[in-house]
Amino acid sequence: RAIVRRGTEPADLGERMRKRNTMGASIRMAIMGVEKRQFGRDDGFSTMSIEDEIYKNEQKLPSVELSLEHLRLRCGGVAMAAQGEVGVEEAKRWLKKAPHKDVVALGSWTDPPPCVLEVVQAALTYLCDSDTSWENCVCSLRQGRGFTREVIEFQHLRITRKNLEKMMACSLDMHRVLTQAPKRDGLYTAVSLCLLMECIILENKVRLGIPAPPPPPPVEFTPEQPRIVQFRQLLPALEGAQELQRTPLLVCNGKEDIICTFFSYMCAVAIDAKELINEVLVKKTISLEDMRDKVRQKAVKALKYGRPLHIRLSTASPDWSGYCCEGGLPLEVFAAAKWKTQEVWSQVVRPQELDGACFNFDSHFVFVTSDLDLPRVQQHLKGRLPYYDALAIIDIAPDSIH
């Protein structure tokens, strides 16, 4: 790869950079590892193009932490179901959000884990660089956004089969980078670069007719074999439950409020079991029939607009027979394999409620949360919750919820 030396920028660009030559700008350039030089000096090459881009990054790019969180959510199961797989062009846009400072920071890692090392090696292979040693990786990363720009602008459909096979040998996995790489400056660059390399490999495999390996067998988790996950692994676990056509029951271990706040950002429609008990049986401010219709209307709202339906149990284990009957919800609302069939959900939606509906069963799903721990969930909800044996119990590790 040829590295273009800079120094031939037009004079008007130099004029703009001179106006920007303040003490604050100089400090920012020094922090980011770029020495700011006077335009027209002969004792070195000019870095004004780099500085100009860094300046724009400071003003326009979101924070690395925010971009990383957005990318994590975008590549989660629910977002994938709603928006589809990430393509090459979208992956390039994610990499463009990596600031110069973050790219350079990745080059400062002295002993990167294999999941990160292979990402940069795949990028160098993609750019037809045969030297994939970490020392050469560092040299490329120290170019900052100059390196990522080169990756983004490279014609990805011109990759040879030989180079593609070398990239495939790197065993790239964005989720492995997210979970195994140290949480430090440079992580966002590694994650977004990995995403782009994965997308490029996939698209070129289709172009060259290389068959994909068979998918791994699905992970089975049932009421008898609950799946224990960290909070950051919740969305992939939900995706696994949907693939198995099981309604997820999330065991929140006393932290249901935090989990509910998380799902409120996804515009989930909540049915609160404690509200049913308090309003109907304790305060008696509403009749059972009116509450049954209120619950039905919430399910209709979730169905019409493709939003998740959240059944929040808290510490309660109510009798659902008064609400899962004619005029309310069908029992199959707890059975994912049956709920999305028209024969079942059409029992909930009335003809006059179809106006303005935009059903999206890719983003709509039903899930249940309980504030109890796993032993008490298995003790109190079995026999009380419809289709309990068809649920996928996901036990969220309490120390992973903050």
Side-chain angles (χ1 to χ4, degrees):
R1 294 181 295 137
I3 299 176
V4 179
R5 296 289 183 180
R6 298 176 177 85
T8 58
E9 290 85 349
D12 57 39
L13 179 58
E15 182 63 24
R16 291 201 305 271
M17 295 307 299
R18 276 199 296 271
K19 292 178 181 178
R20 216 177 278 158
N21 189 16
T22 63
M23 180 178 292
S26 299
I27 292 173
R28 289 195 297 271
M29 295 305 112
I31 291 173
M32 294 181 183
V34 176
E35 181 184 357
K36 187 158 186 165
R37 303 186 179 188
Q38 260 187 343
F39 183 72
R41 286 186 56 175
D42 297 327
D43 57 347
F45 65 89
S46 171
T47 59
M48 284 188 298
S49 294
I50 299 175
E51 292 175 356
D52 186 51
E53 192 155 356
I54 293 173
Y55 179 81
K56 290 188 289 185
N57 288 349
E58 291 182 286
Q59 303 299 322
K60 297 180 180 179
L61 287 181
S63 69
V64 174
E65 294 78 10
L66 185 62
S67 295
L68 184 62
E69 184 60 27
H70 287 175
L71 181 54
R72 182 185 285 110
L73 292 174
R74 171 63 182 93
C75 294
V78 176
M80 283 289 193
Q83 301 181 43
E85 296 289 334
V86 177
V88 172
E89 295 306 318
E90 183 183 352
K92 287 181 178 180
R93 292 195 294 271
W94 284 108
L95 183 58
K96 278 184 179 180
K97 295 183 179 183
H100 177 88
K101 185 178 180 180
D102 194 71
V103 183
V104 173
L106 181 58
S108 68
W109 290 21
T110 54
D111 188 20
C115 60
V116 173
L117 173 61
E118 291 180 326
V119 170
V120 188
Q121 289 176 330
L124 291 187
T125 301
Y126 171 63
L127 296 174
C128 306
D129 193 334
S130 58
D131 182 3
T132 58
S133 64
W134 180 243
E135 291 74 18
N136 193 42
C137 293
V138 168
C139 291
S140 295
L141 291 168
R142 283 177 178 171
Q143 299 175 41
R145 282 179 63 89
F147 171 65
T148 57
R149 186 193 306 114
E150 186 179 1
V151 173
I152 291 168
E153 294 177 355
F154 195 85
Q155 297 296 320
H156 69 276
L157 292 179
R158 296 178 60 184
I159 185 174
T160 63
R161 190 184 189 99
K162 182 178 179 180
N163 274 359
L164 178 61
E165 289 172 351
K166 290 180 180 178
M167 293 172 66
M168 291 167 57
C170 290
S171 303
L172 305 181
D173 187 344
M174 190 198 77
H175 293 290
R176 191 156 60 99
V177 178
L178 277 170
T179 55
Q180 297 183 12
K183 305 300 185 288
R184 53 183 292 192
D185 291 343
L187 177 60
Y188 177 78
T189 298
V191 173
S192 56
L193 185 60
C194 183
L195 175 63
L196 177 56
M197 292 299 105
E198 286 186 85
C199 293
I200 288 172
I201 289 173
L202 181 60
E203 189 163 326
N204 279 280
K205 284 171 65 176
V206 173
R207 178 177 67 90
L208 297 173
I210 300 176
V219 178
E220 186 74 30
F221 50 108
T222 64
E224 292 73 29
Q225 295 178 320
R227 185 172 177 181
I228 301 175
V229 301
Q230 300 291 308
F231 179 57
R232 64 176 180 271
Q233 300 170 334
L234 179 56
L235 292 181
L238 288 174
E239 182 180 11
Q242 291 184 56
E243 291 176 356
L244 296 173
Q245 293 190 317
R246 289 179 174 270
T247 299
L249 168 57
L250 309 183
V251 180
C252 300
N253 295 289
K255 297 187 176 182
E256 189 184 35
D257 286 340
I258 299 176
I259 302 299
C260 293
T261 301
F262 172 75
F263 282 105
S264 70
Y265 294 132
M266 297 171 58
C267 300
V269 180
I271 297 175
D272 193 330
K274 276 198 168 181
E275 179 187 355
L276 308 185
I277 295 172
N278 287 336
E279 299 294 329
V280 176
L281 299 178
V282 179
K283 298 180 181 179
K284 298 184 179 180
T285 56
I286 186 173
S287 66
L288 176 61
E289 292 75 17
D290 290 341
M291 181 59 78
R292 183 187 302 141
D293 187 63
K294 184 177 179 180
V295 168
R296 184 195 65 81
Q297 289 176 17
K298 290 189 175 184
V300 170
K301 183 178 180 181
L303 280 166
K304 283 179 64 175
Y305 304 111
R307 292 162 59 177
L309 180 61
H310 175 193
I311 299 176
R312 180 179 182 179
L313 299 181
S314 189
T315 55
S317 55
D319 180 8
W320 289 96
S321 61
Y323 305 98
C324 295
C325 57
E326 186 176 356
L329 300 176
L331 289 172
E332 289 79 7
V333 71
F334 293 94
K338 300 180 179 181
W339 169 243
K340 292 185 179 182
T341 61
Q342 185 172 356
E343 181 183 357
V344 174
W345 65 257
S346 60
Q347 300 175 29
V348 178
V349 183
R350 295 171 182 171
Q352 64 271 22
E353 294 171 331
L354 292 172
D355 293 339
C358 50
F359 293 95
N360 185 351
F361 286 104
D362 289 331
S363 57
H364 169 76
F365 65 99
V366 181
F367 67 99
V368 185
T369 61
S370 173
D371 212 22
L372 303 175
D373 57 21
L374 182 59
R376 290 195 293 167
V377 163
Q378 294 173 324
Q379 176 185 354
H380 295 292
L381 297 186
K382 188 174 184 178
R384 300 283 291 180
L385 208 58
Y387 288 94
Y388 177 85
D389 292 333
L391 299 176
I393 296 185
I394 301 173
D395 187 8
I396 307 172
D399 56 353
S400 69
I401 307 174
H402 304 289

